[in-house]
Amino acid sequence: MMIDLRKLLCWFCLLLSTHGPLYAALDIEIFGGGAAKIPIAIMPFAAESNLPQRITTVVSADLERSGLFKLVDTFGLVPHDLEQVNYVDWQNRGASALVIGNTAMLPDGRIEVRFRLLDVAKRVQLAGFGGTVGPDQLRAFAHRIADIIYESLTGEHGVFSTRIAFVRKQGNQYALQVSDYDGFNARSLIEYTEPIISPAWSPDGSKIAYVSFEKKKPVVYVQTLATRERKAVANFKGSNSAPAWSPDGSKLAVVLTLHGNSQIYLINADGSGLQRLSQSPGIDTEPRFSPDGRWLIFTSDRGGSPQIYRMPLSGDRAGMAERLTFEGDYNVSPRYSPDGKRFVYIHRNAGRFNLAVQEFSTRQMQMLTDSKFDESPSFAPNGRMILYATEINGRGILSIVSSDGQVRQRLSSESGDIREPVWGPMLKQR
Amino acid sequence: MNKILGVMVVCLLSACASQTTQPISDIEDRSLGVRGGEGARNGMGTDGFGLSPLQDPNNILSRRSVYFDFDSFSVKSEYRDLVLAHAAYLRGNANAQVLLQGNTDDRGSREYNLALGQRRADSVRNIMLLAGAREQQIEAVSLGEEKPRALGRDEASWAENRRTDILYQGEY
């Protein structure tokens, strides 16, 4: 395990010291033997060191973060084209897949990129792809290559072209930002001098619901990304917060103090049709819909400490809510996995706040992180990774952990205090 | 609940009985668990020096923060006199209004903390209402963990941020 880690660190150090733009990760931690990981060799593409962004560093980071791949050392080998490949070299290094490619700068400033994914044992090409892109699209193109490799080798959808949203606080300015899944290319959707919390993507990725304190109290807004048009959808007496979209995008669960304590209500996505869902004398908050839309999972302190509960969408009458967590006295922020079979949440233990996952069927709990202050977990749309906020030197940063807990990676961020990250949906057509 | 009401009735009775008592020293004001009548002595207006009782550092009404334990919203006994003094002031000044802002430390869930801050504000509000303040005089809101007063990452800072602030008109 240590050897693996050191080897990887060296490999990255080599990249950092010999090539231009900084690699996205501040550090990477690998846990476990990785026996089930696919060993893949990714050759630096021909002439890519001349580009503003090296493509294979992005591809390598994408694949490794997923927790399903182990990067094989390419040092000393040189193939860029099919005829240069000596499969025996790669078999000796333990690679079962090999990625090679070329880049070429065109006279108009655009870049031509070609790559091949090869099966080392069968000595055949599994996928190939090429295209011409502008310099500012190199990262997006690299994410597409990673998606193709991921899908070819695992049979699952890759999520490397998806986006995330988060709140960046800088001085007294709060910005709701949208970026690539790895934190790059961030741009602001809105900026205010009052706090913004709890962004939530609509299922089709076209809108984000969030809570803004701009009216000196929490109000839920829905904003359309393309037009930036926004609407207050929950602005009732008292506090309005914790929006969650129904899987079909037609409704929002929200938390209101309209009738006293924080309780869960249902509204239509346009703000109409208020309906109370939870009925407890305590706090009910952080609702999330199950992927099939039949259940709500939420945080409640009805039992004396905050714990995770589940109730049918038909409501909480007659004690229909079922308590799901029993370990410890502080379990909050539950989110369903995309397949609905488990949920991730924040568990407090010995003063630390960490990510844990629990299976619905077995009630088995597994800790995924061990730093001090982890918050706001959210699953990637394919369920393989979990994005969350953690803290370094008093500053919030983004981090990703593979959902088996074996690969953990902090993402860099230019500046500011990052919080409330949430992974966006898989889009049919980008 | 019965216990709380019992304590409050005692407090209220002693408060009423002490309308005419002389000002109590600052030290006694701050002593813990003392059920005194200091709360009601400034029923109205200003004292002899023209200083508002809300600003007079020798008056318990100048104290505006009620502190809580981690993940707790119950008002500790040491803050009951403080809350009751403000309730008495509201009772005696029908035009006075307060905004109660509940706060939490910044660990854990922001949404849960928003709800917890509301319960901290509501706890103070409920005591004030039981002690005779009127609903329309009190607004209870939560700032959750969003507006920390102390910015450190240590127990002292977290303790400072687990509180409900009592603000009168013109102070927010």
Side-chain angles (χ1 to χ4, degrees):
Chain A
M1 175 161 96
M2 277 315 292
I3 293 162
D4 263 351
L5 180 59
R6 273 198 218 115
K7 220 156 98 186
L8 277 163
L9 284 173
C10 290
W11 193 80
F12 283 118
C13 289
L14 194 69
L15 278 180
L16 286 172
S17 57
T18 54
H19 305 296
L22 267 184
Y23 178 60
L26 294 175
D27 63 331
I28 198 165
E29 297 172 281
I30 311 284
F31 305 88
K37 294 187 197 321
I38 300 168
I40 186 168
I42 301 173
M43 271 305 297
F45 290 176
E48 74 171 352
S49 56
N50 302 327
L51 302 179
Q53 170 64 57
R54 293 174 56 90
I55 291 166
T56 56
T57 54
V58 176
V59 174
S60 301
D62 283 352
L63 294 177
E64 188 162 39
R65 259 182 221 122
S66 71
L68 300 184
F69 294 88
K70 190 170 79 180
L71 296 177
V72 172
D73 188 8
T74 61
F75 189 74
L77 297 175
V78 287
H80 298 303
D81 296 308
L82 203 48
E83 50 274 20
Q84 297 171 314
V85 173
N86 180 1
Y87 284 105
V88 177
D89 289 344
W90 300 103
Q91 274 170 329
N92 289 341
R93 292 197 181 192
S96 62
L98 169 65
V99 177
I100 56 171
N102 292 283
T103 67
M105 196 79 91
L106 301 180
D108 64 1
R110 290 186 305 156
I111 299 131
E112 194 182 345
V113 184
R114 312 210 150 270
F115 93 98
R116 293 172 195 274
L117 170 65
L118 306 170
D119 183 320
V120 172
K122 293 185 185 146
R123 307 190 173 190
V124 293
Q125 177 171 324
L126 296 174
F129 186 59
T132 306
V133 293
D136 56 340
Q137 297 166 312
L138 281 169
R139 290 195 69 89
F141 198 82
H143 289 313
R144 282 182 68 192
I145 291 175
D147 278 334
I148 290 166
I149 295 169
Y150 186 93
E151 286 163 22
S152 301
L153 296 178
T154 70
E156 296 175 5
H157 284 296
V159 293
F160 307 120
S161 299
T162 56
R163 289 174 299 169
I164 61 171
F166 51 83
V167 175
R168 183 194 302 273
K169 184 182 182 222
Q170 211 149 12
N172 62 354
Q173 198 75 14
Y174 298 81
L176 174 58
Q177 300 197 311
V178 172
S179 76
D180 297 347
Y181 95 99
D182 57 3
F184 280 83
N185 295 324
R187 57 187 177 82
S188 291
L189 192 59
I190 53 158
E191 290 186 13
Y192 280 108
T193 51
E194 294 294 334
I196 299 165
I197 63 170
S198 305
W201 290 87
S202 67
D204 68 359
S206 69
K207 303 184 193 82
I208 294 181
Y210 56 90
V211 177
S212 166
F213 286 63
E214 69 199 64
K215 290 197 163 42
K216 302 290 177 189
K217 72 168 199 174
V219 171
V220 178
Y221 293 85
V222 168
Q223 186 154 358
T224 303
L225 269 69
T227 61
R228 307 214 161 193
E229 184 191 350
R230 68 200 290 259
K231 179 178 169 39
V233 294
N235 186 11
F236 297 95
K237 181 171 171 282
S239 168
N240 309 261
S241 69
W245 294 86
S246 64
D248 66 1
S250 69
K251 292 186 186 306
L252 287 166
V254 291
V255 170
L256 310 178
T257 58
L258 186 58
H259 300 109
N261 280 331
S262 300
Q263 293 284 296
I264 300 167
Y265 295 74
L266 196 63
I267 55 174
N268 295 322
D270 65 359
S272 65
L274 179 68
Q275 180 192 344
R276 182 166 175 173
L277 286 181
S278 75
Q279 302 277 353
S280 83
I283 293 170
D284 289 345
T285 188
E286 304 190 292
R288 285 289 187 288
F289 285 85
S290 63
D292 66 8
R294 291 169 53 215
W295 298 87
L296 277 185
I297 195 171
F298 62 101
T299 305
S300 176
D301 73 344
R302 58 183 70 189
S305 64
Q307 300 290 345
I308 315 295
Y309 290 75
R310 179 172 71 165
M311 67 178 175
L313 201 69
S314 51
D316 188 20
R317 280 159 208 86
M320 294 292 278
E322 172 197 11
R323 181 168 165 179
L324 299 173
T325 52
F326 294 91
E327 200 109 354
D329 61 1
Y330 193 96
N331 293 301
V332 297
S333 305
R335 279 73 155 126
Y336 274 97
S337 64
D339 65 6
K341 290 181 177 159
R342 47 198 191 140
F343 61 100
V344 63
Y345 58 104
I346 298 296
H347 170 75
R348 183 173 77 111
N349 184 31
R352 290 172 180 271
F353 296 75
N354 295 123
L355 269 65
V357 285
Q358 185 171 316
E359 300 278 338
F360 280 102
S361 59
T362 62
R363 305 223 157 186
Q364 198 75 40
M365 167 199 186
Q366 185 199 347
M367 298 302 300
L368 295 182
T369 63
D370 60 5
S371 43
K372 235 175 159 184
F373 305 109
D374 299 330
E375 294 183 5
S376 306
S378 78
F379 273 99
N382 67 359
R384 285 291 182 182
M385 292 180 273
I386 300 168
L387 174 71
Y388 62 102
T390 187
E391 197 184 271
I392 294 183
N393 303 325
R395 201 165 69 89
I397 62 160
L398 299 172
S399 201
I400 287 179
V401 61
S402 60
S403 53
D404 60 5
Q406 288 204 354
V407 178
R408 221 178 284 159
Q409 188 167 24
R410 295 176 180 133
L411 303 178
S412 72
S413 71
E414 312 88 80
S415 59
D417 183 15
I418 309 289
R419 67 275 293 275
E420 303 285 272
V422 57
W423 209 311
M426 191 100 68
L427 300 182
K428 303 273 181 294
Q429 195 70 53
R430 266 172 66 85
Chain B
M1 195 60 202
N2 278 338
K3 197 172 151 201
I4 295 173
L5 278 175
V7 170
M8 286 186 41
V9 168
V10 172
C11 290
L12 288 172
L13 289 176
S14 61
C16 292
S18 62
Q19 285 285 8
T20 56
T21 55
Q22 292 304 301
I24 294 165
S25 79
D26 192 24
I27 291 166
E28 279 181 21
D29 276 359
R30 291 180 190 201
S31 64
L32 305 184
V34 173
R35 294 191 203 113
E38 69 272 29
R41 78 185 162 86
N42 295 291
M44 323 258 160
T46 58
D47 67 14
F49 301 100
L51 190 62
S52 159
L54 299 174
Q55 265 77 49
D56 179 358
N58 291 322
N59 193 305
I60 191 171
L61 292 173
S62 67
R63 289 168 53 203
R64 305 300 187 79
S65 294
V66 176
Y67 293 91
F68 296 84
D69 291 335
F70 177 77
D71 193 33
S72 168
F73 50 87
S74 76
V75 176
K76 293 190 265 189
S77 58
E78 63 212 76
Y79 297 106
R80 292 250 160 79
D81 289 347
L82 169 64
V83 175
L84 290 172
H86 284 283
Y89 182 84
L90 290 172
R91 214 169 59 236
N93 295 270
N95 292 327
Q97 288 182 349
V98 288
L99 176 67
L100 305 176
Q101 290 179 330
N103 295 271
T104 71
D105 72 35
D106 66 353
R107 295 173 295 166
S109 153
R110 285 176 189 276
E111 281 290 350
Y112 180 72
N113 282 337
L114 185 62
L116 180 61
Q118 187 67 48
R119 290 203 88 168
R120 285 177 177 164
D122 287 344
S123 294
V124 173
R125 174 176 172 272
N126 292 341
I127 294 176
M128 288 179 166
L129 290 178
L130 284 168
R134 285 171 303 121
E135 287 236 30
Q136 56 268 37
Q137 290 182 288
I138 306 171
E139 186 181 3
V141 300
S142 176
L143 300 177
E145 63 173 87
E146 306 305 324
K147 300 276 177 133
R149 182 190 279 170
L151 298 174
R153 308 295 290 144
D154 48 65
E155 187 45 53
S157 300
W158 293 325
E160 177 63 29
N161 292 332
R162 293 193 295 263
R163 64 174 206 286
T164 292
D165 287 330
I166 303 167
L167 302 173
Y168 285 82
Q169 298 123 293
E171 296 175 343
Y172 55 89

